[in-house]
Amino acid sequence: MKGKNTPDPLQNFINASVDDFLSLTDAEILKEVRDGEEDPEELAAEMQRLAQQAIMEHGRGRFARARAQLASRKLSGGASRLTNLSLAEKERVIGQFSANDPRLRGRLTLAARMGHGASEQEIDGVLEDLIELGVIDEAGNPQ
Amino acid sequence: MSTAAKVRLQRAAQHFAAVCKWEWRDLYQEAVRRCLDTRQFPRDVDPVVFIVNVMRSIASAERTRRDKRPEIEFVDDLGAIEVVYATEAASNAEDLQLEAEESAARIKALEDLFADDEELQMVMMGMSDEMTASELRALGGWSEQQYATIKRRMRRRLNARFGAGWTA
């Protein structure tokens, strides 16, 4: 069994070999690859292809997760948890963002001009937008 | 990213794949996906070094996971990569024995590879024992240039033997 303090010769050897290879200059690396009758450009092209494939898969996964979250939010009534908070609590959540967001501040100011302050309905709308953008979760915590 | 940088990543993936017994392409792609998941990609760290360290941590975690040891480890102060091992009961003695035998077989394969070259044997044993380059040079009485030549010979042999994958 290997632990943090247990000698692991294979892992030690691999770590040292990788560090050794990383310490070479670009020219040394390319020369060694060519000397081994490999084509560096071919290797690089394969790495590029593998990375692009991984990025695409990651993007698909992220999209699927976001879509599932959105569907679940719609099913559970969206920002219902937040809309159940007191007005003061809602203003506190929004206050965390409005100080650094001129557009959000402008939106709230406009609402204020039309009445005595941003209406609760307006605040609920802003909270829903923040959730949809993934800025906060449904409990109002920054994400 | 330059051609040399991509070659560095490819070689690192090949090496670390030997530790975790994954196919090197799978290891590299998993590292790319984890990098994309990392929200705080350090701007002052070379992306190659970062991805290499992600591969290193995956390989290390996978190797530990195979032992099914409950552990939480924080790997790499460069990229703040956190690896949390699944908390599982210790595996049975048979699994551990098998794992130990596989590791021993890989070390044996390395020893066989360098069997006709005493300098390579010495360097390999020193690297496996976490000796530094200067300690190794002192051990063999080699100059920096001589040591670099030995390492080059070692890399050439390793690549010729294990370039397509590390099988013991």
Side-chain angles (χ1 to χ4, degrees):
Chain A
M1 186 184 290
K2 295 169 294 298
K4 268 183 163 179
N5 303 314
T6 311
D8 188 342
L10 179 63
Q11 197 160 342
N12 292 341
F13 178 77
I14 296 291
N15 282 335
S17 294
V18 170
D19 292 340
D20 172 48
F21 194 75
L22 291 179
S23 71
L24 299 178
T25 65
D26 286 3
E28 285 170 333
I29 283 175
L30 296 177
K31 183 176 182 309
E32 286 201 9
V33 169
R34 289 193 189 102
D35 286 349
E37 296 182 358
E38 288 179 283
D39 180 356
E41 297 301 334
E42 229 171 74
L43 286 182
E46 180 170 18
M47 296 306 280
Q48 181 76 19
R49 185 182 58 73
L50 290 170
Q52 282 171 345
Q53 206 175 40
I55 290 167
M56 200 171 283
E57 280 166 17
H58 184 270
R60 281 198 201 109
R62 198 173 160 191
F63 177 74
R65 282 195 301 277
R67 195 164 60 177
Q69 270 179 3
L70 190 65
S72 123
R73 202 176 295 139
K74 278 181 182 164
L75 277 176
S76 66
S80 59
R81 281 182 66 188
L82 270 179
T83 50
N84 287 337
L85 293 177
S86 70
L87 183 58
E89 270 297 297
K90 290 174 188 173
E91 284 173 341
R92 185 192 60 75
V93 172
I94 289 184
Q96 294 170 10
F97 301 97
S98 62
N100 298 320
D101 186 337
R103 284 179 60 193
L104 177 56
R105 206 166 51 235
R107 184 171 160 185
L108 295 173
T109 309
L110 181 66
R113 265 196 226 114
M114 296 171 77
H116 296 292
S119 73
E120 188 155 4
Q121 196 181 354
E122 176 69 18
I123 286 175
D124 286 346
V126 170
L127 289 172
E128 280 176 24
D129 288 348
L130 289 173
I131 291 173
E132 208 159 303
L133 290 169
V135 177
I136 57 173
D137 64 18
E138 285 167 32
N141 302 310
Q143 284 197 311
Chain B
M1 195 178 277
S2 70
T3 297
K6 288 173 189 158
V7 171
R8 280 189 167 91
L9 291 173
Q10 192 260 352
R11 289 295 198 256
Q14 273 183 340
H15 279 71
F16 289 130
V19 174
C20 63
K21 299 171 188 172
W22 285 16
E23 210 279 326
W24 71 263
R25 292 172 185 84
D26 293 338
L27 176 62
Y28 175 60
Q29 289 192 312
E30 179 60 22
V32 171
R33 283 191 286 269
R34 292 205 192 178
C35 286
L36 293 171
D37 280 335
T38 306
R39 292 185 176 201
Q40 295 161 330
F41 197 97
R43 288 185 181 184
D44 53 343
V45 175
D46 177 352
V48 172
V49 172
F50 188 78
I51 298 171
V52 165
N53 283 332
V54 172
M55 287 194 279
R56 193 192 306 265
S57 78
I58 293 171
S60 169
E62 178 64 14
R63 190 162 168 80
T64 308
R65 192 192 65 77
R66 288 163 65 99
D67 290 345
K68 298 190 174 96
R69 295 184 68 247
E71 191 173 359
I72 293 173
E73 186 172 312
F74 298 93
V75 182
D76 177 19
D77 53 356
L78 288 177
I81 300 155
E82 180 184 332
V83 176
V84 180
Y85 299 111
T87 303
E88 298 173 62
S91 61
N92 62 44
E94 201 177 317
D95 288 344
L96 295 176
Q97 179 65 27
L98 190 66
E99 178 72 28
E101 282 171 10
E102 284 179 5
S103 286
R106 290 187 175 212
I107 289 290
K108 175 74 169 53
L110 287 171
E111 286 169 354
D112 290 347
L113 184 64
F114 304 137
D116 63 342
D117 189 325
E118 201 177 272
E119 289 177 332
L120 294 186
Q121 284 176 37
M122 282 176 74
V123 173
M124 188 210 86
M125 285 188 270
M127 287 166 75
S128 303
D129 207 23
E130 292 187 284
M131 287 176 76
T132 64
S134 58
E135 285 169 339
L136 277 167
R137 281 205 310 274
L139 186 80
W142 300 308
S143 67
E144 279 196 26
Q145 199 178 348
Q146 286 169 323
Y147 182 67
T149 305
I150 295 167
K151 294 300 288 286
R152 196 159 46 243
R153 209 158 68 231
M154 175 178 269
R155 286 193 298 271
R156 206 178 304 135
R157 275 202 195 190
L158 282 173
N159 194 52
R161 170 66 178 81
F162 298 114
W166 280 61
T167 49

